[in-house]
Amino acid sequence: MHCEPPDMVCETKIVAAEDHEALPGAKKDALLAAAGAMWPPLPAAPARPSLGGAGGAGPPGGRGLCIREFRAAEQEAARRIFYDGIMERIPNTAFRGLRQHPRTQLLYVLLAALCFAVTRSLLLTCLVPAGLLGLRYYYSRKVVLAYLDCALHTDMADIEQYYMKPPGSCFWVAVLDGNVVGIVAARAHEADNTVELLRMSVDSRFRGKGIAKALGRKVLEFALVRNYSAVVLGTTAVKVAAHKLYESLGFRHMGSSDHYVLPGMTLSLAERLFFQVRYHRYRLQLREE
C-alpha cells in the first residue's frame, strides 16, 4: 500500500506528549526560504465546484489550494480519502501487480499446462487463467480489507491524538474550495533522526493538479525546519506514477523486497499463491549527520 512503513501502525503505541514546538520566527523563515529554493512553488490549483461535503475552511473566499494542519472536525473526511485510496489498490495489486512477479506468472502457466495435460480440454484450460485472476482479486481484497480495518482502528481512528500531539509528528490536509481533497502525515524516528512520510492520498477527482506533490513538500519542509537528517517512506504502490512522484520530490530508491508482510496477511498457502506485494523503500537525505 501507499506510504506503509516497515513497523506498521498496528504495532505502534500512541505516545503522550506536548503540542508541537514552534521555532523562532527568523530561523524558521530562513529554513523555509531554503526549502523554497530546493522545491520551487507549485502553481495554484484552479478553483473547482464545491464537493458539498464537510472539510473545514480553506483559503479566503474558499478558492485555491491550501495545505494546512489537520483539524479535529476533518476526521471523517480524512478517513474517507484514506479508505478510498487504499481500496483502489485491490485491482492494481491483483492484476497489474502480477507483472512484478515472474515466478508467479510461471507457476500459473504451469498450472494451465497441467490442466490441459490432465483434461485434454481447451475450454477448461482457457478457464484456468480466469479462475486464477479471480482468486487473486479475492485474496487481494481480503488482505486489503484486513489492513484497512487495522489502520482505521489505530492511527486513523484518532488522528488528533496520534499525529497532532506527539512531538515530531503531524498530519496535514489539502483543502480546495473549503473541502478536504488530500492528506499526508509525518512521524519522527528519533533513533536515526529521520521523519517518515505516511498516509499520502488525494481524492481521485482532484489528481493530476500537483496536490500530492504539494503535500509531499509539506513533509519535507517539516523535516527541514526541525533539523531532521532525512525523510523516508515505504510503499507497495504498483502504479508508476506514484514512484515518479517520489522521485520528482527528490527521493532516492533504496531497494525493494518481495517478502514484506502486510498487516492483515495470514501467510496461508493460498494467500502466498494469490497475493503478493513488492515493498519499496525511498529516502531523501536533507543533511549529513
Side-chain angles (χ1 to χ4, degrees), residues 265-283:
M265 292 180 67
T266 63
L267 300 180
S268 66
L269 177 60
E271 195 174 87
R272 290 174 183 270
L273 285 173
F274 301 114
F275 178 82
Q276 301 89 25
V277 290
R278 177 166 293 175
Y279 181 78
H280 299 267
R281 294 177 291 107
Y282 284 88
R283 183 183 182 94

Side-chain angles (χ1 to χ4, degrees), residues 60-194:
R63 299 179 69 82
L65 178 66
C66 171
I67 309 294
R68 58 163 172 74
E69 291 189 4
F70 167 85
R71 299 171 184 171
E74 296 158 344
Q75 174 80 25
E76 289 308 311
R79 281 165 58 93
R80 174 187 58 79
I81 290 173
F82 171 71
Y83 178 91
D84 290 346
I86 296 298
M87 287 297 289
E88 291 177 8
R89 302 290 179 84
I90 295 175
N92 286 331
T93 302
F95 307 134
R96 188 180 297 182
L98 181 58
R99 294 183 297 183
Q100 297 179 344
H101 303 279
R103 290 184 179 179
T104 302
Q105 294 178 43
L106 177 60
L107 175 61
Y108 291 174
V109 170
L110 291 175
L111 288 174
L114 179 62
C115 176
F116 180 76
V118 172
T119 66
R120 297 295 176 180
S121 170
L122 286 175
L123 177 60
L124 289 176
T125 302
C126 291
L127 290 176
V128 168
L132 293 172
L133 290 177
L135 286 168
R136 285 187 64 85
Y137 184 87
Y138 170 81
Y139 279 99
S140 294
R141 188 174 188 276
K142 179 176 178 288
V143 174
V144 167
L145 288 176
Y147 167 78
L148 273 171
D149 183 67
C150 176
L152 293 174
H153 285 86
T154 50
D155 65 315
M156 295 302 291
D158 191 344
I159 296 171
E160 181 77 22
Q161 178 69 21
Y162 196 95
Y163 289 110
M164 303 309 294
K165 292 186 178 181
S169 297
C170 196
F171 196 100
W172 296 269
V173 294
V175 179
L176 185 62
D177 296 336
N179 298 281
V180 175
V181 298
I183 59 173
V184 73
R187 184 178 63 192
H189 297 281
E190 300 298 340
D192 58 0
N193 195 37
T194 63

